[in-house]
Amino acid sequence: MLALCLLPQRLPAQASEFNIPPNTILPNYNRVVLGQREALEGGAYVARTDDAVANWYNPAGLALSEKTSLNASSNAYELTTTKLGGLGQEISSTRVSPVGGFVGIVVGAPIAKSPRLRFGFGITRPVAWSPSTLRGAFSFPAGAGVEAFTYSSSVNFWTVTPSINGAYRLSPTVRVGLGIGYALTNLTQDQAVTDRVVLPNGVTTGLRSFSTDGNAHHLLFSAGAQWDIARAVTLGALVVSPGVRLGGGSSISFSQTRYDAAGASNDLAFGDPNAKLDYRLPFRVVAGAAVKYSRGQVEVDVRYFGAEDTYGLLSSDSTAVQITTDAAGVPTVTNPAFTPVLNTARSVVSVAVGGNYSVSRAIRVHVGFFTDPSPVSDPPQSTFRAVDLTGVSGGISLGAGRLTGSFGVASSWGTTTERQVGPSIGGAEATTDVTIRTFTGLYSVSFTF
């Protein structure tokens, strides 16, 4: 998926700093839908959630759970297809992999003695991006010779959030809830590039590889409310604080070498096992309205994610060792600094619409639609790719007793903004874009004690 955006930059004879190249991680907030019924309806459930999944969607909904129940749901497997175009060539990659999920419990009767008070615990994986390792090769004319370019890239980006929540029923129509969560975000990248220009009078070769593997830790505080303003109409709202950073670190290794046809070379090596990783989690507000009718329900939710000013996503105080050798074999050693990888997030507003229809007492049909705009603020400069996604979901829920379950599918799609890449060693430049298609299998089981 990286393809031409990995083309190595020319290595200067002397450098005071060096840069880690961009990657193709999607940082979208709503790409993964969660829950037994919620996932089948595009995640539009802030006003109606009423079981263990309320630990994630709205803690106020825990107050609607009469008895203790356990819920486990998963986006079982995601089929991700990526397609990159540039330099008149195109390559695609497909992977089937497990992604987000949820497991949680709400403590009700007979454990909780008060009919107004409920507690819950949940472990949620709302962010997951793990496309296939992308490998490819291009060959194209370069002046009087030929340029050959090969690459390999693998990325992994996810957030897991355990949380503890409580809810209280203020009146028969009003419920409020509070929660605290611990968010662990992981960012892993591995890239390798070879760029070789073969000319009649010699060969110039560029090699580059880098890897990062780190985690960032945050506290999240949430508050929610639900209000039955009429017998068939319910309003819901959720507010989640920006992540309060507790810490985070990453290992970084980087090497880049160029051998010129004239015999000169430029070699740079960097390693820091204690670099800093800081991926910020934004302020979030969700508001929704649900309407219930004789055999079904419909809800519309609007979600707002706040902006983040420019900050250092990856940074290090260590320096690299760069050895520049001229054609006579005389080396010069310098120590360029690590240029921080910066990130900026724009505020985004997304919409989710979901509903269901009761076929019988034990069978319901669910459908949903959702948007997932990219928070990437500066696509040409960001280490992330900017892709505005649109998605649909649907499925069937079964059961009306203690044991219930559901199964269904979700799909999302989008195309990145164009990005100018290069030049390569041979001087090639291009504009690239990436097309994303996902298809996800959903399943869930819930048990009421």
Side-chain angles (χ1 to χ4, degrees), residues 122-197:
I123 300 176
T124 312
R125 192 178 186 185
V127 175
W129 178 245
S130 182
S132 63
T133 298
L134 190 68
R135 296 182 178 90
F138 292 100
S139 181
F140 40 87
V146 175
E147 182 168 8
F149 173 82
T150 63
Y151 65 91
S152 174
S153 174
S154 176
V155 298
N156 198 343
F157 180 64
W158 50 258
T159 298
V160 172
T161 307
S163 64
I164 298 174
N165 304 274
Y168 187 76
R169 187 190 293 265
L170 295 176
S171 71
T173 61
V174 178
R175 303 166 293 281
V176 295
L178 297 173
I180 181 171
Y182 172 81
L184 173 63
T185 300
N186 175 268
L187 173 61
T188 303
Q189 309 171 82
D190 289 284
Q191 294 182 14
V193 175
T194 301
D195 191 4
R196 183 176 290 110
V197 178

Side-chain angles (χ1 to χ4, degrees), residues 127-304:
V127 175
W129 178 245
S130 182
S132 63
T133 298
L134 190 68
R135 296 182 178 90
F138 292 100
S139 181
F140 40 87
V146 175
E147 182 168 8
F149 173 82
T150 63
Y151 65 91
S152 174
S153 174
S154 176
V155 298
N156 198 343
F157 180 64
W158 50 258
T159 298
V160 172
T161 307
S163 64
I164 298 174
N165 304 274
Y168 187 76
R169 187 190 293 265
L170 295 176
S171 71
T173 61
V174 178
R175 303 166 293 281
V176 295
L178 297 173
I180 181 171
Y182 172 81
L184 173 63
T185 300
N186 175 268
L187 173 61
T188 303
Q189 309 171 82
D190 289 284
Q191 294 182 14
V193 175
T194 301
D195 191 4
R196 183 176 290 110
V197 178
V198 181
L199 299 170
N201 60 344
V203 178
T204 298
T205 300
L207 307 173
R208 184 176 71 202
S209 67
F210 88 88
S211 66
T212 73
D213 187 2
N215 299 293
H217 311 264
H218 295 84
L219 278 181
L220 297 172
F221 300 93
S222 61
Q226 292 178 332
W227 178 25
D228 302 326
I229 63 172
R231 185 172 184 178
V233 180
T234 301
L235 303 180
L238 172 70
V239 178
V240 181
S241 71
V244 179
R245 188 176 186 274
L246 300 178
S250 177
S251 63
I252 302 176
S253 64
F254 181 92
S255 65
Q256 183 167 269
T257 303
R258 173 170 169 163
Y259 302 96
D260 288 331
S265 67
N266 195 314
D267 181 77
L268 184 146
F270 174 84
D272 185 358
N274 299 306
K276 179 182 177 181
L277 172 65
D278 182 14
Y279 178 76
R280 296 184 181 178
L281 302 178
F283 173 70
R284 174 163 54 106
V285 177
V286 184
V291 176
K292 303 176 183 179
Y293 56 96
S294 60
R295 305 196 68 170
Q297 307 164 351
V298 176
E299 180 169 337
V300 178
D301 289 356
V302 177
R303 303 160 175 160
Y304 169 82

Side-chain angles (χ1 to χ4, degrees), residues 103-123:
V103 60
I105 188 170
V106 53
V107 179
I111 299 175
K113 303 302 181 181
S114 171
R116 291 190 171 192
L117 189 63
R118 293 291 182 265
F119 297 97
F121 172 76
I123 300 176

Side-chain angles (χ1 to χ4, degrees), residues 282-415:
F283 173 70
R284 174 163 54 106
V285 177
V286 184
V291 176
K292 303 176 183 179
Y293 56 96
S294 60
R295 305 196 68 170
Q297 307 164 351
V298 176
E299 180 169 337
V300 178
D301 289 356
V302 177
R303 303 160 175 160
Y304 169 82
F305 296 85
E308 292 289 348
D309 294 333
T310 301
Y311 65 94
L313 179 71
L314 284 167
S315 57
S316 172
D317 295 327
S318 299
T319 58
V321 175
Q322 183 172 12
I323 303 175
T324 304
T325 306
D326 61 21
V330 179
T332 300
V333 180
T334 57
N335 298 104
F338 179 88
T339 302
V341 178
L342 303 179
N343 188 45
T344 304
R346 67 187 181 101
S347 61
V348 296
V349 176
S350 63
V351 177
V353 181
N356 61 68
Y357 180 81
S358 176
V359 178
S360 67
R361 182 174 179 270
I363 300 176
R364 280 185 179 268
V365 178
H366 305 256
V367 295
F369 167 83
F370 58 94
T371 62
D372 187 17
S374 173
V376 175
S377 177
D378 188 6
Q381 303 299 324
S382 177
T383 190
F384 299 118
R385 275 280 188 170
V387 185
D388 292 331
L389 296 173
T390 301
V392 294
S393 61
I396 297 175
S397 60
L398 305 169
R402 291 189 172 185
L403 180 64
T404 58
S406 68
F407 62 90
V409 295
S411 179
S412 62
W413 57 90
T415 300

Side-chain angles (χ1 to χ4, degrees), residues 34-55:
L34 301 165
Q36 178 171 302
R37 300 159 296 172
E38 295 84 348
L40 304 180
E41 299 184 24
Y45 240 86
V46 70
R48 293 176 293 158
T49 185
D50 60 1
D51 57 12
V53 190
N55 284 290

